[in-house]
Amino acid sequence: TALEAPPAEDAAAALSEQQKRPSHPRFDLAASAARDAYPRDGMVGDIAWGSLKWASLDEAARSEAQLSAMAGEEIRVWPPFVLRVLRSALPKAGRVAERQTSERADVLRGLLYLTYMVRLYGQSRAIPPPAAADGDNHHPLARKLGIEPMDAWRELLVRFTAPQGGSSADDLSVTRRLTSESKHKLAMHALALALWIGHGQGDTAELAKLLSLTPKEANLYLRQLGCAMPRTRGSTACSLKLPLELPRVEQGRAAPKKR
């Protein structure tokens, strides 16, 4: 006789905590440090991470004139969170021989990729594949948004957009789109990366502005990531609770609605 399918409750119970949360970056519930709770390579792959050209961002951090000019960009936007860290919260520069592997370099890479995430998050139109005329294979939208190199662009598309027409998840030869599900996943990863940059500390008002969220939407996302929210009137500080304590997953619960 054919085996009966297990009840839905039993099937859900068999999933790992990670599998129950497909929009979350990879996490470690036993970690005692914020950057281990949400490891960097669970948010940005090694190939994309290693390709990020952060030196110009390091130079900009030393020039108030450049930072002010960046704040005025309308298409290649620089989030206020990123500009604040560049102005006042970057780790000190080390010796030249250590710069590629220093914490400063890691934070600069994180800020650059986070900026790319925010730029993609703001796109509402379908993203067609590059035309044959684009000889360098650099996507016109990536060029417009200032997202380079292509390894970073490809990873963003594969992770956070959905292919149209039933194609495989990593097929970049078809039109792709930010769906409500993929946009939810992108928001979760972007906020987690911002918390990674801040060693698990953040400001709910600043993080809400990062993705143009309402305070309520931002708080919901941050709670899902395991943040303790401010209890003092007027405070907007939040922090990851360690070890992570993630809210229970409720079947059928929808992602926060966007305005």
Side-chain angles (χ1 to χ4, degrees):
T1 59
L3 295 176
E4 293 184 3
E9 295 81 359
D10 293 344
L15 297 175
S16 69
E17 292 301 311
Q18 186 78 64
Q19 290 169 328
K20 293 176 184 177
R21 300 170 174 84
S23 294
H24 272 64
R26 191 174 78 252
F27 54 79
D28 182 350
L29 293 175
S32 58
R35 289 193 174 178
D36 295 329
Y38 285 105
R40 187 275 305 161
D41 59 2
M43 295 175 284
V44 190
D46 289 337
I47 293 176
W49 184 256
S51 72
L52 294 169
K53 300 176 181 179
W54 53 269
S56 59
L57 206 57
D58 195 14
E59 292 178 10
R62 307 168 195 272
S63 168
E64 181 57 37
Q66 286 192 52
L67 292 174
S68 296
M70 291 161 66
E73 290 279 1
E74 295 184 1
I75 296 178
R76 298 183 176 186
V77 295
W78 292 96
F81 171 90
V82 170
L83 295 176
R84 177 191 58 81
V85 175
L86 289 174
R87 277 193 171 96
S88 60
L90 272 181
K92 292 183 179 180
R95 293 181 295 177
V96 174
E98 299 172 345
R99 284 180 184 171
Q100 290 292 330
T101 57
S102 68
E103 183 182 1
R104 184 183 179 92
D106 280 346
V107 170
L108 287 165
R109 286 189 180 97
L111 291 171
L112 189 55
Y113 197 81
L114 179 61
T115 298
Y116 293 165
M117 287 173 141
V118 171
R119 292 176 185 175
L120 178 63
Y121 186 85
Q123 299 306 301
S124 57
R125 296 182 178 179
I127 303 171
D134 297 304
D136 60 357
N137 206 32
H138 198 67
H139 197 286
L141 181 58
R143 189 182 298 112
K144 177 182 178 181
L145 297 177
I147 298 177
E148 55 180 304
M150 283 303 293
D151 285 329
W153 174 248
R154 292 188 189 100
E155 176 165 308
L156 286 167
L157 289 186
V158 170
R159 284 194 182 217
F160 305 119
T161 65
Q164 305 298 291
S167 301
S168 62
D170 60 352
D171 187 352
L172 299 180
S173 67
V174 299
T175 296
R176 302 181 70 93
R177 186 181 295 276
L178 269 170
T179 63
S180 58
E181 292 81 8
S182 63
K183 198 165 187 177
H184 174 64
K185 180 179 180 180
L186 177 52
M188 294 288 284
H189 281 65
L191 291 172
L193 182 55
L195 290 168
W196 181 91
I197 290 168
H199 289 277
Q201 306 296 314
D203 180 279
T204 58
E206 184 179 54
L207 294 174
K209 290 179 182 178
L210 187 67
L211 299 173
S212 300
L213 303 171
T214 67
K216 184 176 180 180
E217 289 168 346
N219 288 354
L220 178 55
Y221 277 123
L222 292 167
R223 285 194 179 95
Q224 289 178 354
L225 288 169
C227 279
M229 306 309 292
R231 294 184 177 181
T232 305
R233 182 182 294 273
S235 173
T236 55
C238 65
S239 60
L240 284 176
K241 293 185 288 187
L242 299 170
L244 282 179
E245 296 179 13
L246 302 180
R248 181 180 176 183
V249 175
E250 298 179 17
Q251 286 188 337
R253 183 169 184 169
K257 293 183 178 179
K258 304 294 181 294
R259 292 182 295 172

